[in-house]
Every structure is written in C-alpha cells, then in structure tokens.
Amino acid sequence: MSRSYKEIIRRMNEAYEEFGILISQETKKLDELDLTVQQEYMLSYIQRNKQTTANDIAADFGISKSAVSQVLSKLEKRDMITKQANPTNKREYFLALGNNGREYMDSLKQLDEILIDKYYSKIDLEELHQMTKTMVRINNVIREQKK
C-alpha cells in the first residue's frame, strides 16, 4: 500500500478524533443518554428505514440476529424503540422509534442546527459537498468489497 494513502488516512482519522473532542461540549446532552455507538446507529437506521425488522438490521450491519436482539431489547426497555407485529407474518415485527428514541433523534437534529450555525456555515458549501461526496464513494467501495 502506498505510503501516501497511509499518511492521508492517518491524518483523516486524527482530524475526525479531534473533531469529536472539539464538539464534545455541544454533544454533552446526548452523551448523558449513555448509548453505545451501535445503539445510536440502530436508532438512525430504524428512523431512516420504515417497517424495518431485526433481520434487516442483522443483514445490513453484518452481525448476528442474536446480537441485534440483545441491542434491541435494551433499546425497547428504555422506550427508544417499539415493536409492532407484522400483519402478514405474525412471527415478525416491525421496529419504530419509541418516545425516547424520537426525542433522541430530535436532539440530533437540534445539534445539527447548532453545528451548522456555529461551524459548518463557515465552510464553503462546495467543500462540504465534496467531503460528503467522498464519504459516499468510500461507503460504496466498502459495500462492493463486502459482496
């Protein structure tokens, strides 16, 4: 592997870590909810994918159904998610955000607004677009390699 790739990725990772540290003051309210990264990702996934199931999450996250069930059980106990029976398959249930899950996602939306007002709006829109485009391309490469 080219040394320049390693150097760029090292710098990218350092920048990402520093970003997390720099915005930690704004994220304190969310940190108090004490969610794992995996729980946060599952909540976001459930919000984006209506009528999703535990099997869908297991397949898309590349983890076992058992692991998904454990995480979902914890989220359900905290009213972060709810389960609704699939009318066409009684052995399956659809996942939706619970009251606390909706509040959490609303807090994320509010955080985005704060970050846009304070920081992101100081960056040229085209630069942010290019950064997003690059991330999407990296994600697509990863998806293709996993096939």
Side-chain angles (χ1 to χ4, degrees), residues 3 11 18 21 28 37 51-52 56 58 61 63-64 67 77 80-81 86 97 109-110 126 128 132 139 144 147:
R3 180 175 163 84
R11 288 177 40 211
E18 184 179 12
I21 292 166
K28 276 188 186 202
V37 171
Q51 293 195 324
T52 195
D56 296 331
F61 282 50
I63 57 178
S64 71
K77 285 178 186 166
M80 300 296 270
I81 65 161
N86 178 347
L97 295 179
K109 207 181 290 184
Q110 291 170 1
E126 185 53 40
L128 293 173
T132 303
N139 291 346
E144 280 299 312
K147 286 183 180 178

Side-chain angles (χ1 to χ4, degrees), residues 7-82:
E7 181 62 21
I8 294 291
I9 298 307
R10 184 188 63 72
R11 288 177 40 211
M12 185 176 72
N13 289 338
E14 286 175 357
Y16 181 74
E17 289 168 5
E18 184 179 12
F19 172 80
I21 292 166
L22 291 170
I23 66 162
S24 63
Q25 195 66 31
E26 281 89 354
T27 63
K28 276 188 186 202
K29 180 181 174 188
L30 297 175
D31 293 342
E32 291 170 5
L33 292 173
D34 201 29
L35 293 174
T36 67
V37 171
Q38 192 174 53
Q39 288 171 329
E40 290 178 13
Y41 287 161
M42 284 189 194
L43 286 174
S44 292
Y45 183 91
I46 291 166
Q47 182 185 38
R48 284 191 320 273
N49 298 279
K50 305 303 178 213
Q51 293 195 324
T52 195
T53 66
N55 287 333
D56 296 331
I57 292 174
D60 285 351
F61 282 50
I63 57 178
S64 71
K65 174 89 166 33
S66 172
V68 171
S69 293
Q70 288 178 1
V71 174
L72 294 178
S73 177
K74 290 176 184 175
L75 290 173
E76 187 176 27
K77 285 178 186 166
R78 296 177 64 184
D79 194 29
M80 300 296 270
I81 65 161
T82 61

